[in-house]
Amino acid sequence: FKSGDKQGSTCAIKSLLIVYHSHSGTAASLARAAWRGACEEIQVNASVKRVWDAGAEDLIAADAVLL
């Protein structure tokens, strides 16, 4: 998931990386819900990755991380 380009904002766009691990799908549902909420904010560019898909580069590039 990746939020779209947010235009019309005078604030600096911040990046939020949501990282999850889920066997049953419950944590994945929570991650999607957090992503949907973050996407409502104009100044936030949110993305969701499974824990094994998120690398050091992703963590370094993010302004904030939700685990």
Side-chain angles (χ1 to χ4, degrees):
F1 324 21
K2 191 149 177 113
S3 58
D5 212 21
K6 314 276 178 133
Q7 297 184 9
S9 174
T10 57
C11 298
I13 294 178
K14 300 293 183 182
S15 62
L16 170 63
L17 174 62
I18 301 167
V19 181
Y20 73 94
H21 176 70
S22 182
H23 283 291
S24 66
T26 303
S29 294
L30 288 171
R32 280 191 292 275
W35 175 78
R36 282 192 298 270
C39 288
E40 292 181 11
E41 296 297 323
I42 293 172
Q43 67 274 18
V44 176
N45 183 15
S47 60
V48 176
K49 291 193 174 197
R50 293 176 293 181
V51 72
W52 53 82
D53 293 332
E57 309 85 34
D58 299 309
L59 296 171
I60 292 167
D63 294 309
V65 177
L66 175 64
L67 300 173

